[in-house]
Amino acid sequence: MFSSVAYMLSHQAAFQLMAHTRQQLVRHLAYAPLAWINQQGSGALKQMVLQSVAKLEQLVAHRTAPLR
């Protein structure tokens, strides 16, 4: 019972953290120089905003729930 609640809460925290981090990254990118954004390319920016941030879910949701 408690492990399922901990699992649910850890995932909820992970998803909230991911959403907040992505919002902060996009806000930061809005002020980045256009030349730098063009130099990075859309694939690298997508990788940073979506896939790299998704790694937080693994860390927060799957590493914290088993802790007692």
Side-chain angles (χ1 to χ4, degrees), residues 20-40:
H20 177 75
T21 302
R22 285 183 177 139
Q23 289 171 351
Q24 293 296 101
L25 277 170
V26 170
R27 273 193 207 110
H28 188 72
L29 286 172
Y31 293 98
L34 188 55
W36 181 84
I37 290 177
N38 286 334
Q39 187 179 32
Q40 299 305 308

Side-chain angles (χ1 to χ4, degrees), residues 37-58:
I37 290 177
N38 286 334
Q39 187 179 32
Q40 299 305 308
S42 61
L45 294 174
K46 177 186 172 227
Q47 168 86 23
M48 178 180 52
V49 174
L50 297 178
Q51 296 169 352
S52 294
V53 173
K55 292 177 184 176
L56 287 172
E57 190 266 339
Q58 289 292 317

